[in-house]
Amino acid sequence: MTTVVIIVAVVLVAALAFFLVRGRQTGGRGLRRRFGPEYERTVARHDGDTKAAEHELAERVKLHGSLSEQPLAPGARETYVRRWAEVQEKFIDSPRDAVVEADALLAQLAHDRGFPDGGSFEEQTAALSVHHAEQVDGYRRVHTAVRGQGGTEEMRKALIESRALFDVLLADAPDEPARTDRPETKGSANA
């Protein structure tokens, strides 16, 4: 009888260990799949410490995963499209001013869609990364360019990359493409 109890206990401990290890591996793969390039950026920021990076990403999901994107007010979509076109046009004569406006426009659009206020850039990008991990890096690049880091070519690339987040935030639903006319102005940043 004692032998049977010991065997059952050993089997249960082995099964528990197996499922704990498997669950940890799946969590990492799940986070890697969910966050894509944001996963790699976070691991790099933690000097390759995947456990610390995965902890941070899991905390983001816990804090912002249940966030529900709010619909835009009537007419807001058209206003945002017009303002983005103005940013593109402004880039020709004043790249830095255009990037500053793009940064503010993205912060406001994210706020209008229900993400944390742009007053805390890190909190806002953390929330955005949970829902739009593939697009959030362009917003970071624009925000960095606003801080005076980079020349005109870096600002142009940042503006172009940030357009992806603009488009996805402008869409009605996460899987729906944004219904925007992408006016191409002569000499624009093509963003």
Side-chain angles (χ1 to χ4, degrees), residues 146-188:
V146 167
R147 304 297 173 269
Q149 300 168 353
T152 302
E153 181 61 14
E154 287 80 15
M155 287 187 279
R156 184 187 72 79
K157 287 178 181 177
L159 192 61
I160 289 169
E161 286 182 27
S162 69
R163 176 64 189 243
L165 181 62
F166 178 80
D167 285 344
V168 77
L169 288 174
L170 214 55
D172 282 332
D175 295 331
E176 177 184 323
R179 289 177 279 154
T180 64
D181 295 327
R182 295 180 79 161
E184 296 297 326
T185 58
K186 188 175 179 180
S188 75

Side-chain angles (χ1 to χ4, degrees), residues 61-72:
V61 171
K62 189 185 325 177
L63 285 170
H64 305 293
S66 64
L67 184 142
S68 178
E69 292 186 50
Q70 303 301 310
L72 291 172

